[in-house]
Amino acid sequence: MQIGYARTSTLEQVAGFEAQKRDLEAAGCEKVFSERVSSVAQREQLEAAIDYLRDGDSLVVTKLDRLARSMRDLLAIVDRIEAKGAGLRILNMNLDTSTATGRLMLNVIGSVAEFERDMMLERQREGIAKAKAEGKFKGRKPTARAKAGEVEAMLAAGESPTVVAKKLGIGRSSVYRAMAERGLKRETAYKAEAAAESA
């Protein structure tokens, strides 16, 4: 049995949604699961479609991006489909994992994606190493820690930790962390907080 799955990200993509369903029905899908949801959200109809699959069935989608948000996501979905004895068909790629050629194509796509990711990480590591050697790489700037002097000065001026956090655009926990690092007593901050609340 051919089981279709159609997805669009927004309610506005009506034309694309209907086109997917037409293509799936034309490809012989007897049942089509569809939903309008972002690929990063919970895809309940995709889960329902996979649950519905039986041995020998195929899950059919029009395009790869309608099914998976990443290569890792795709391979995880394919593993679940194959565990049920079913296959995956991607119409615009003419890919069918129930055939030897389709499985080979999927493995090649997965290998290329993994290779590209490894190359990207390697280039990133080389860039960081070069920047460190040239003294240009400082890492991520610790924003809250960089403002520790301002935190201390504002608290000394009688500002409460809440006000300090708001004015400096940092979290209140960052204010308390800066206080701890500079050996400031929390009691002082609590007094300032209480004074601000009673004012």
Side-chain angles (χ1 to χ4, degrees):
M1 187 174 178
Q2 305 291 306
I3 312 299
Y5 173 68
R7 182 188 65 79
T8 58
S9 300
T10 64
L11 292 171
E12 287 77 29
Q13 297 172 319
V14 178
F17 199 50
E18 294 305 319
Q20 283 182 66
K21 290 198 271 191
R22 276 197 309 273
D23 290 347
L24 291 170
E25 286 166 7
C29 293
E30 300 164 53
K31 187 169 181 65
V32 175
F33 291 84
S34 58
E35 58 191 339
R36 293 176 183 173
V37 64
S38 164
S39 66
V40 295
Q42 183 68 33
R43 296 165 290 175
E44 292 176 5
Q45 289 302 302
L46 175 58
E47 292 299 316
I50 294 172
D51 287 342
Y52 192 82
L53 291 170
R54 298 294 176 264
D55 191 22
D57 289 349
S58 285
L59 181 67
V60 186
V61 293
T62 57
K63 295 194 301 182
L64 186 57
D65 66 354
R66 298 302 88 201
L67 177 68
R69 61 179 70 99
S70 66
M71 200 63 222
R72 183 177 292 178
D73 187 34
L74 172 65
L75 296 175
I77 291 168
V78 170
D79 284 345
R80 291 178 60 199
I81 292 169
E82 289 181 344
K84 302 200 80 170
L88 170 67
R89 286 178 63 201
I90 303 170
L91 298 180
N92 78 328
M93 296 174 72
N94 199 26
L95 186 148
D96 184 347
T97 65
S98 65
T99 68
T101 304
R103 285 193 296 275
L104 175 63
M105 279 178 65
L106 187 68
N107 285 329
V108 168
I109 291 167
S111 298
V112 169
E114 192 174 333
F115 173 74
E116 284 181 347
R117 176 165 171 75
D118 288 345
M119 290 299 290
M120 181 195 73
L121 291 172
E122 189 176 325
R123 284 193 298 270
Q124 187 180 46
R125 283 192 295 269
E126 286 172 358
I128 289 171
K130 184 180 176 188
K132 280 182 177 176
E134 294 172 358
K136 294 177 182 175
F137 183 79
K138 305 277 192 279
R140 201 173 98 188
K141 190 178 179 183
T143 311
R145 195 170 292 163
K147 295 181 177 178
E150 291 175 74
V151 169
E152 185 175 2
M154 290 173 76
L155 288 170
E159 298 278 21
S160 71
T162 302
V163 171
V164 171
K166 279 183 185 173
K167 285 186 177 177
L168 295 180
I170 59 176
R172 205 162 70 157
S173 60
S174 296
V175 173
Y176 288 121
R177 195 177 307 114
M179 288 168 59
E181 286 174 0
R182 296 203 160 215
L184 301 172
K185 295 198 178 293
R186 291 185 86 150
E187 288 79 5
T188 308
Y190 285 131
K191 283 176 187 171
E193 191 90 72
E197 286 173 2
S198 62

